[in-house]
Amino acid sequence: MNELEKIASLAACFGSGSPWVRVGIGDDAAVLDSFTGSLVWTVDAQVEGTHFRFDWASFYEVGFRSFMAAASDLAAMGADPVAALSSLVLTTAFDDAALGAFSAGQADAARDVGAPIVGGNLARGGEMSVTTTLLGRTARPVLRSGARAGDLVLLAGDVGLAGAGLLALRHHVHDTQIASCIEAWRRPRARIDDGRMLATFAQKGHAHAAIDISDGLARDAWHVAEASAVRIIFDAEHLVAHGGPRLRAAANVLGRDPLDLALYGGEDYALLATSDMPIQGFSCIGVVESRAADEPRILVRDPSGVRGIEPRGFDHFIV
């Protein structure tokens, strides 16, 4: 297909079906109807060789996971998804069949999330990449900077499984106990419903801070602690228990510590929140405390006591 034919095929794949969309793909820009509340706007880029490889995931799966990665940011802020833009850089090896499978993955993720793709851009380049922009709305966004001493540290979704799946792919580990972990990496789910629950508690003054877990639990929790000028103490037993049998089985297959997988795995797209009371669908894995200037921001409590840990995780600029 030429460029115009590709755009037409994408328009047919993505459609609209949202009451907020007045004009979707086909004009110079999309037109959305206005609404009350705050707008939440995010963008995420996924680049071949950095975020995915086509020998690890299918074209469909790369499309699906690239959209969900962006949508997870809206969930963390308690926002309802409204609409999305998708910008693709395609290589000469990316043929029409690949584009069809990729866009089908994006379209299915968009339908799951409830944010139709209403526009974007196509370009040719030396490596394949997708940049997804999502718009959401909320009455009260939940920020990273609101955690308070005395809050519970709450977690919705699995941590460590996607990281275990990626390790298995990198090291060619084939085991039935790791299959669900590979699936967790290939097809993550943005926790939009948990984000809505978070927003409900935030509006009542209970949920104070949140973040999605994309770069690893320890690293992303550090962002909350730093922005809120507090320290976060994880309970090792509760965190491993939250991971359950699948986390322990994966750790055993890979020869890793389940606590390390949970803390440093990354790409889980779980939600971490702090609140002065429990939130439905979230597990308590720690507490927020006040912090002196020389104390670490992230700590773990285990049978040997409380110790500071490094906020290790994914960093684009550290190899």
Side-chain angles (χ1 to χ4, degrees):
M1 294 184 288
N2 61 31
E3 182 177 354
L4 292 178
E5 291 168 336
K6 290 182 191 294
I7 292 171
S9 73
L10 292 172
C13 179
F14 295 146
S16 177
S18 168
W20 303 108
V21 180
R22 183 178 299 178
V23 178
I25 297 173
D27 215 306
D28 287 334
V31 180
L32 307 180
D33 286 331
S34 60
F35 34 79
T36 59
S38 297
L39 297 179
V40 180
W41 201 359
T42 189
V43 62
D44 184 84
Q46 301 270 311
V47 180
E48 184 178 2
T50 299
H51 300 92
F52 63 85
R53 284 171 37 177
F54 286 115
D55 56 338
W56 290 351
S58 68
F59 297 117
Y60 176 94
E61 288 164 342
V62 171
F64 189 92
R65 74 187 304 275
S66 65
F67 194 95
M68 285 295 181
S72 183
D73 289 331
L74 297 189
M77 302 193 81
D80 275 315
V82 172
L85 301 175
S86 177
S87 179
L88 305 179
V89 176
L90 306 178
T91 66
T92 54
F94 206 85
D95 60 17
D96 292 341
L99 179 61
F102 177 89
S103 58
Q106 281 195 309
D108 283 350
R111 279 188 287 270
D112 284 357
V113 166
I117 297 172
V118 297
N121 188 62
L122 286 177
R124 180 73 70 190
E127 60 186 4
M128 193 272 174
S129 70
V130 52
T131 301
T132 309
T133 303
L134 268 102
L135 185 70
R137 63 188 183 96
T138 183
R140 182 176 178 178
V142 186
L143 308 180
R144 300 177 180 184
S145 55
R148 306 173 186 175
D151 278 356
L152 304 174
V153 178
L154 305 173
L155 183 64
D158 295 316
V159 290
L161 298 188
L166 184 56
L167 282 171
L169 289 168
R170 281 176 171 165
H171 297 289
H172 308 286
V173 176
H174 303 285
D175 190 289
T176 56
Q177 296 187 86
I178 213 79
S180 65
C181 298
I182 295 174
E183 183 74 1
W185 181 80
R186 286 174 171 164
R187 299 196 188 190
R189 298 273 176 171
R191 306 192 70 82
I192 300 298
D193 287 341
D194 288 323
R196 293 189 177 110
M197 182 63 67
L198 186 66
T200 298
F201 277 74
Q203 290 171 31
K204 296 177 181 178
H206 297 298
H208 300 144
I211 194 170
D212 80 314
I213 309 303
S214 55
D215 295 331
L217 178 60
R219 187 177 183 87
D220 288 321
W222 184 92
H223 289 308
V224 173
E226 194 273 338
S228 303
V230 295
R231 67 179 192 168
I232 287 175
I233 303 179
F234 292 119
D235 185 294
E237 181 181 357
H238 290 175
L239 181 53
V240 173
H242 177 89
R246 286 198 300 165
L247 177 64
R248 291 190 289 270
N252 183 60
V253 169
L254 295 169
R256 301 295 179 107
D257 182 344
L259 180 62
D260 281 354
L261 281 179
L263 287 172
Y264 306 118
E267 297 195 290
D268 303 288
Y269 304 107
L271 296 183
L272 182 75
T274 78
S275 171
D276 61 12
M277 65 183 300
I279 298 176
Q280 182 181 343
F282 287 72
S283 299
C284 182
I285 59 166
V287 294
V288 179
E289 292 185 352
S290 57
R291 174 183 176 270
D294 58 344
E295 291 180 321
R297 296 192 186 278
I298 303 298
L299 305 95
V300 167
R301 177 179 288 110
D302 58 25
S304 64
V306 177
R307 56 186 171 88
I309 60 172
E310 291 294 320
R312 292 189 283 109
F314 179 76
D315 189 315
H316 283 278
F317 303 103
I318 296 177
V319 178

